[in-house]
Amino acid sequence: MENIAKAAACPTHVISTIRKISTILTVTVWLLSCKSGTNPVPEPMPEPEDVTLEVSASEYQFEADRQLAFTVSVKSNRPVTATSSQEWCTAEIVGGKTADNLKISVSENIRIDRRTATVTVTAEDSEKPATFTIKISQQGVRPILSIEEGAVYVTGERQEFTVRVAANFSPVAFVLPPWISLKSPDNPENGGIYTFVADGLPAAVELRKDSLTVKAANPDVTAAVSIPVVQTDVTSLNVMSYNIYLASGSLLNWSNRRDALLKFIRLADVDILGTQETEYTQHDFLKRNLTEYAAYGVGRNDGKTDGEHNTIFYKKGRFTEHGHGTFWLNQTPDAPGKGWDAGYPRIASWVILEDKLSGKRIFAVNTHIDHIGSEAQKNSIPLLMERISALHGDLPVVLTGDFNMPPSNGNIRYVTDASAGHYSLLHAKAIAETPAEGNVGTYHALTDADPGIGALIDFIFVDENIRVLRYAVSPPRFESQFLSDHSAVTAKIEIR
């Protein structure tokens, strides 16, 4: 007590005493705790968890011609990110933080070259991130190459001509006959318009034919297309009239004969072709597949696509069109509808064509006269002739068609009767300089025998400005096959 009193009297001693007592108590408590075992030794800190990353795909290939996307499964114990090495390929993480899906998308490849990209998936970690690489490849598109002109026609003089080339690649190269040279050496991106020069015909040569070929300049790209090049001092034209029998008819299957019809037309080397009973499916098929030809024709029921077309096909390399039209053989020729007692609406379609060789123009008309109504037949012919007279101006005229009447019929005689004072034409068969070839009749009704003059109902008429060099009726069959229940009529003509 005495010592405590002293300490109270001296603050320094009090503090020192308190510290000693505190130390003694602390040591005592520690010893007691060790003896009883109630305070275990502290455990060490756990080791960091390894980064895990699982990706379900390491490589993927895309088609070229469309935008596509696919999803890859990704599992990780860390947040995941993804990046792509190319702009055309995008990578996006969708889903949760540690169990994600990776969405990879590619845009359409418009070039023919295959392209590649790398997508890198990363599991984030401050010390050592985990990465996974996915290889992406996309095919190039199929090389496409075309020439707008179906053929080139030039006269015997030295002259320039142009060719329009379309391609989805560049550059292109040309393979030319020795008498043709490329004037414009520039090579536009993905084709373009090229100018060529054709040398003049040698003396005593009236005609020469060759081909102009365009191809890929890169030998690894397999694309080439050719067109014929014709140089001539002879300006004759091949004209054909052909009732091709409607596609919906039960006598002949259209799909079984359409390819043979293409071959028949090409082998005949027709410059101007008038077809009858041409339903829209046939009009469209021929127009798409006879790539060297342009076509004009409308449906007789609505002036658009419904019903028979009297289509006129013409070689677009040989001719330039300067107008076309259609009128109806009825009491209101400018509006669709049946005329008089006709079984169907009937039309006549026409085009004005300029021959690139001669520079001369021609008025081509194609029609199909009704087969039922006698009044319709009687009134359609004068209407047809009056309209041609009013429309052709001073241009030479070629009229093709199925008239459903033989030459002896008075309505057909009206067409060729110059003495009656009305506008008239000449039957190509009657004025041909070479005797007529083939059968006499044209409506053979799927028989091989010549049906005779009574079945001559398909005609080519011309005016006095046209010279007929040859006239012919084709055989009923082509390569052992009936293409129609009619035969084609052809005439080789020359504009005077």
Side-chain angles (χ1 to χ4, degrees):
M1 294 297 294
E2 183 178 354
N3 290 335
I4 293 174
K6 289 182 179 179
C10 181
T12 303
H13 290 166
V14 171
I15 294 170
S16 175
T17 300
I18 292 172
R19 286 175 177 172
K20 290 177 181 179
I21 294 170
S22 176
T23 300
I24 293 169
L25 290 173
T26 300
V27 171
T28 302
V29 171
W30 180 77
L31 290 172
L32 291 173
S33 65
C34 288
K35 186 176 181 180
S36 64
T38 58
N39 188 21
V41 178
E43 295 181 3
M45 294 295 293
E47 292 293 330
E49 183 181 5
D50 290 338
V51 179
T52 62
L53 177 61
E54 297 179 7
V55 183
S56 64
S58 61
E59 187 172 353
Y60 201 86
Q61 180 172 300
F62 284 91
E63 301 294 331
D65 58 350
R66 67 194 71 175
Q67 292 183 337
L68 292 173
F70 78 108
T71 302
V72 176
S73 174
V74 178
K75 293 182 180 180
S76 176
N77 61 354
R78 295 288 191 275
V80 178
T81 60
T83 58
S84 173
S85 63
Q86 301 293 333
E87 292 184 357
W88 55 267
C89 177
T90 60
E92 177 187 8
I93 295 292
V94 293
K97 289 289 185 181
T98 58
D100 307 282
N101 288 320
L102 171 62
K103 181 180 179 182
I104 298 177
S105 304
V106 298
S107 61
E108 179 184 0
N109 186 5
I110 61 174
R111 301 189 65 84
I112 63 173
D113 304 320
R114 177 186 292 270
R115 58 185 180 180
T116 60
T118 300
V119 172
T120 303
V121 184
T122 304
E124 298 177 354
D125 185 81
S126 59
E127 295 183 1
K128 188 178 180 182
T131 61
F132 189 89
T133 299
I134 303 174
K135 295 180 180 180
I136 306 296
S137 63
Q138 187 179 30
Q139 296 177 359
V141 296
R142 180 176 61 87
I144 298 174
L145 178 64
S146 64
I147 303 178
E148 183 174 304
E149 293 76 11
V152 172
Y153 293 85
V154 292
T155 63
E157 300 176 354
R158 177 182 173 86
Q159 62 188 283
E160 295 182 2
F161 64 91
T162 59
V163 172
R164 187 185 300 272
V165 176
N168 62 350
F169 59 87
S170 62
V172 298
F174 297 95
V175 179
L176 303 172
W179 49 277
I180 294 178
S181 58
L182 175 65
K183 180 180 180 182
S184 54
D186 57 314
N187 203 337
E189 182 75 12
N190 296 339
I193 299 176
Y194 297 85
T195 302
F196 300 87
V197 178
D199 296 336
L201 275 173
V205 175
E206 291 186 346
L207 172 71
R208 60 181 170 186
K209 296 181 180 180
D210 216 310
S211 61
L212 182 153
T213 300
V214 57
K215 64 178 185 177
N218 182 349
D220 295 330
V221 179
T222 55
V225 63
S226 298
I227 58 171
V229 181
V230 180
Q231 186 177 37
T232 180
D233 280 332
V234 180
T235 55
S236 61
L237 302 171
N238 291 325
V239 178
M240 177 182 288
S241 180
Y242 201 3
N243 182 320
I244 63 172
Y245 187 71
L246 66 167
S248 60
S250 59
L251 296 178
L252 292 168
N253 185 291
W254 169 242
S255 62
N256 291 342
R257 57 193 171 95
R258 61 185 186 181
D259 291 336
L261 179 60
L262 294 175
K263 183 178 180 180
F264 173 79
I265 294 169
R266 289 193 173 105
L267 286 176
D269 194 25
V270 182
D271 296 298
I272 301 173
L273 166 64
T275 63
Q276 302 87 40
E277 287 194 27
T278 316
E279 294 179 325
Y280 179 72
T281 54
Q282 296 168 295
H283 166 94
D284 182 61
F285 175 82
L286 294 173
K287 186 177 180 179
R288 285 187 291 106
N289 288 278
L290 291 171
T291 55
E292 63 270 43
Y293 291 83
Y296 168 71
V298 300
R300 66 186 180 187
N301 295 339
D302 62 356
K304 297 177 182 177
T305 61
D306 187 19
E308 176 191 12
H309 295 53
N310 291 155
T311 305
I312 301 174
F313 297 90
Y314 59 89
K315 285 183 176 177
K316 57 187 178 182
R318 175 90 188 247
F319 299 100
T320 302
E321 184 188 311
H322 290 279
H324 59 246
T326 294
F327 56 89
W328 277 258
L329 303 180
N330 61 19
Q331 293 90 327
T332 55
D334 295 320
K338 293 192 294 184
W340 303 281
D341 57 349
Y344 299 95
R346 300 293 182 176
I347 58 175
S349 293
W350 56 267
V351 294
I352 296 174
L353 303 174
E354 180 179 338
D355 183 3
K356 294 179 181 180
L357 279 177
S358 65
K360 298 176 181 178
R361 296 188 181 188
I362 190 170
F363 187 83
V365 193
N366 185 38
T367 192
H368 189 181
I369 304 300
D370 196 71
H371 67 302
I372 293 176
S374 58
E375 286 298 311
Q377 292 179 339
K378 178 181 178 181
N379 290 292
S380 293
I381 299 297
L383 171 61
L384 175 67
M385 301 305 289
E386 289 171 8
R387 279 282 174 143
I388 294 175
S389 178
L391 290 168
H392 83 101
D394 59 353
L395 299 180
V397 173
V398 172
L399 169 61
T400 57
D402 174 1
F403 284 73
N404 276 308
M405 293 171 280
S408 59
N409 187 287
N411 298 313
I412 300 300
R413 292 201 302 270
Y414 182 95
V415 176
T416 59
D417 187 1
S419 64
H422 56 72
Y423 180 76
S424 62
L425 296 170
L426 304 167
H427 187 190
K429 179 178 183 293
I431 63 171
E433 297 178 9
T434 300
E437 301 172 2
N439 289 347
V440 174
T442 58
Y443 178 63
H444 56 70
L446 307 183
T447 59
D448 290 308
D450 185 349
I453 193 68
L456 175 55
I457 61 175
D458 301 272
F459 294 89
I460 297 176
F461 296 106
V462 298
D463 70 9
E464 67 279 0
N465 295 308
I466 291 178
R467 175 186 174 195
V468 179
L469 305 175
R470 185 175 66 246
Y471 169 93
V473 175
S474 67
R477 296 177 189 260
F478 173 69
E479 295 184 345
S480 303
Q481 181 180 4
F482 287 115
L483 303 183
S484 171
D485 56 350
H486 287 241
S487 290
V489 181
T490 59
K492 184 174 184 178
I493 66 171
E494 190 176 88
I495 303 173
R496 297 187 188 276

